[in-house]
Amino acid sequence: MQEYNTINLLACKDVVVDKIKDSESLVVIEARTKSLESCPYCGSKHICVHDHRIQKIKDTQMHGKKCIIKLRKTRYNCKCCGKRINSKTDLVAKKMTMTKRLIASITREFKELYSIKSISRRYSVSTSTVTRVLSYLSVERKSLPKVLLIDEFKGDSGSYKYQCSLLDGITHEIIDIVKSRQENILFEYFKNIPKEERENVKIFVSDMSKTFKNVKNAYFKNAVHIADKYHFVRQVSWSLENVRKRIQKDTSAEMRIYLKRSKSILTKPMPKLNDDQKREAALMLEISEELRLAYGLKESFYQEVLVQKNKEQAQYKVNAWIDICKKSKLKEFKSCITAFTNWSDEITNSFDYKHSNGALEGKHTKIKTLKRNSFGMRNFERFRKRIMLLD
């Protein structure tokens, strides 16, 4: 009964446990493979022992201690067919020195934000062992979804500073990680994806990058291109901020510090300000007529443009807002006007479809945490696998 329970503990029915040695830091299990009764090739029972050998196998920790299995394996000779037979066990895979359950446990850790080093410490194995397990895993690209989100992130992996991530806009699953955001590399990547699969993409969401626009026009011609809301709204906030920075240079040191520390009050929509914040905003706006004008442009954008319900209404309001910006003659709004003019169709598409890169930015937060915990990952393929395996 005790032997049966020990076998169940090892989760292997073709191994017999002979002895367990338990020390302060190590558990050593001495075991052997079960005797072979007949030849698996010809079925003959005329087999004899050729030799024995002992294999050291790493196993998962037992009672918080490192565990080693010393497995005595027997080889046989068949007198009928003449073949040499190796005793087999489900405990360990062929040509491996780790149990299958140890490999499975390490593999499950890749779903978390642990570094290679922390995983190796947890399972009392070397970092090279954990890296080897990762290299054995095959992580394939998922099929392109109907809603494709694309964005860049600073990965510093491989020979490139920025990598590119693809996400399913409906299930929020990572589709793949591309080694660089460079246009020629993205073109080569999507070129190798079958045209039928690319045509499955109906909505393409990106920031206001010329590279992503060129990728969309080249490989997703029939998809609706949506500019991420955060990226076009911040164009307005940046313009207001640039006006504030220019104005505060000509104010007293005390007022300059006050304007800098209270800048969030100006960029925040007025309806979301409390009474005290509204009084502070009014005080800051008394400093300059240009600052009041810039603040008014920001507020009209929030209260008249962003509230529209469809593309047609948004297009009319955006054009009207651009005309007001031009009449203001504020130089800080020139880049904003240019961006809204060049991306007018993509921006107004966001009013018909509520997809954004918000979910992808959340994934990037996880990626940055993984990168920080690992102190960077130079090898791109390993970095890609870790990202793809994350929950």
Side-chain angles (χ1 to χ4, degrees):
M1 186 68 174
Q2 185 177 358
E3 181 181 307
Y4 176 77
N5 289 334
T6 305
I7 292 172
N8 281 344
L9 181 65
L10 293 178
C12 185
K13 296 182 179 180
D14 52 14
V15 170
V16 177
V17 176
D18 294 324
K19 191 185 295 184
I20 299 177
K21 297 179 180 179
D22 192 354
S23 63
E24 290 185 2
S25 60
L26 180 66
V27 176
V28 179
I29 300 175
E30 295 182 1
R32 55 186 165 84
T33 55
K34 286 187 175 180
S35 300
L36 199 63
E37 296 181 355
S38 61
C39 175
Y41 298 102
C42 65
S44 172
K45 293 187 178 183
H46 297 287
I47 57 175
C48 60
V49 175
H50 175 74
D51 62 8
H52 304 283
R53 67 185 183 92
I54 295 178
Q55 181 183 11
K56 286 187 178 181
I57 305 169
K58 298 172 186 175
D59 196 14
T60 51
Q61 290 187 349
M62 186 175 291
H63 307 302
K65 304 173 186 177
K66 185 177 180 180
C67 183
I68 298 292
I69 300 174
K70 290 185 177 180
L71 182 62
R72 187 171 182 262
K73 301 174 78 173
T74 305
R75 290 195 297 177
Y76 300 89
N77 288 330
C78 180
K79 295 181 179 179
C80 290
C81 64
K83 290 188 177 181
R84 186 162 295 167
I85 309 158
N86 294 318
S87 53
K88 296 180 180 180
T89 173
D90 290 333
L91 185 66
V92 59
K94 188 177 181 181
K95 297 182 180 180
M96 296 295 291
T97 58
M98 295 184 290
T99 59
K100 290 180 179 179
R101 62 169 168 263
L102 176 57
I103 295 174
S105 297
I106 292 174
T107 301
R108 283 193 293 270
E109 296 297 311
F110 294 142
K111 295 183 178 181
E112 305 298 332
L113 296 170
Y114 302 131
S115 66
I116 297 291
K117 191 171 185 178
S118 65
I119 296 173
S120 69
R121 287 175 177 173
R122 186 173 287 106
Y123 290 94
S124 302
V125 296
S126 65
T127 54
S128 59
T129 297
V130 179
T131 302
R132 192 162 57 249
V133 172
L134 181 61
S135 66
Y136 291 149
L137 299 177
S138 176
V139 182
E140 300 296 330
R141 173 187 65 84
K142 296 181 177 67
S143 298
L144 294 181
K146 289 185 178 180
V147 181
L148 178 63
L149 313 184
I150 184 170
D151 200 4
E152 63 189 30
F153 66 93
K154 190 173 180 288
D156 291 306
S157 190
S159 56
Y160 300 100
K161 188 174 182 179
Y162 289 91
Q163 282 66 53
C164 191
S165 53
L166 310 177
L167 192 80
D168 188 326
I170 298 175
T171 64
H172 296 171
E173 290 182 332
I174 292 181
I175 305 302
D176 203 1
I177 303 296
V178 186
K179 63 182 179 181
S180 173
R181 67 175 179 179
Q182 293 180 9
E183 186 172 306
N184 61 324
I185 292 177
L186 288 173
F187 269 53
E188 186 65 27
Y189 175 84
F190 287 110
K191 182 181 177 181
N192 293 325
I193 297 178
K195 184 179 179 181
E196 296 76 16
E197 187 177 342
R198 285 189 270 115
E199 288 179 345
N200 182 55
V201 177
K202 305 302 180 185
I203 298 175
F204 185 92
V205 186
S206 73
D207 61 19
M208 297 164 71
S209 164
K210 185 178 179 181
T211 298
F212 294 149
K213 193 171 190 177
N214 292 339
V215 168
K216 188 270 172 189
N217 292 336
Y219 296 102
F220 304 96
K221 296 179 181 179
N222 297 326
V224 176
H225 193 179
I226 297 176
D228 182 54
K229 183 178 179 180
Y230 166 77
H231 288 88
F232 69 77
V233 169
R234 73 177 180 176
Q235 293 285 335
V236 181
S237 299
W238 283 348
S239 298
L240 172 61
E241 273 291 278
N242 290 333
V243 173
R244 178 192 62 79
K245 290 176 182 177
R246 175 168 60 84
I247 296 301
Q248 75 180 20
K249 289 179 181 178
D250 298 326
T251 59
S252 63
E254 184 180 353
M255 182 57 70
R256 185 161 57 250
I257 294 172
Y258 175 73
L259 282 172
K260 187 174 181 180
R261 290 179 177 175
S262 304
K263 60 183 179 181
S264 61
I265 295 176
L266 292 179
T267 54
K268 193 175 182 181
M270 183 177 284
K272 293 185 179 180
L273 299 177
N274 57 37
D275 292 339
D276 290 337
Q277 289 174 330
K278 287 179 180 178
R279 282 191 289 270
E280 286 187 52
L283 177 63
M284 287 187 282
L285 296 177
E286 288 295 324
I287 298 173
S288 167
E289 175 65 29
E290 288 184 312
L291 186 59
R292 283 198 299 275
L293 184 57
Y295 186 79
L297 290 174
K298 185 267 294 185
E299 281 301 309
S300 66
F301 179 79
Y302 274 99
Q303 297 177 28
E304 296 178 18
V305 178
L306 287 184
V307 296
Q308 300 308 313
K309 301 298 183 183
N310 57 58
K311 178 183 175 71
E312 184 179 354
Q313 294 175 358
Q315 185 72 69
Y316 175 77
K317 290 294 183 179
V318 166
N319 291 337
W321 184 80
I322 290 175
D323 289 338
I324 297 173
C325 290
K326 290 178 179 178
K327 291 177 182 178
S328 71
K329 297 182 180 180
L330 289 172
K331 60 181 181 179
E332 289 83 2
F333 275 81
K334 286 184 178 179
S335 60
C336 182
I337 293 170
T338 301
F340 273 73
T341 302
N342 294 341
W343 289 80
S344 176
D345 191 53
E346 291 80 5
I347 289 172
T348 52
N349 280 338
S350 66
F351 290 86
D352 276 344
Y353 304 91
K354 300 305 178 183
H355 299 287
S356 72
N357 273 352
L360 190 50
E361 294 296 343
K363 295 291 183 181
H364 286 175
T365 301
K366 271 193 170 185
I367 292 171
K368 290 174 185 175
T369 304
L370 174 64
K371 178 187 168 185
R372 184 170 61 251
N373 291 345
S374 303
F375 296 95
M377 295 186 73
R378 291 290 183 184
N379 186 293
F380 171 71
E381 284 304 320
R382 292 175 192 162
F383 191 33
R384 174 185 170 275
K385 285 182 181 180
R386 288 301 312 270
I387 295 171
M388 296 286 286
L389 291 169
L390 285 174
D391 276 341

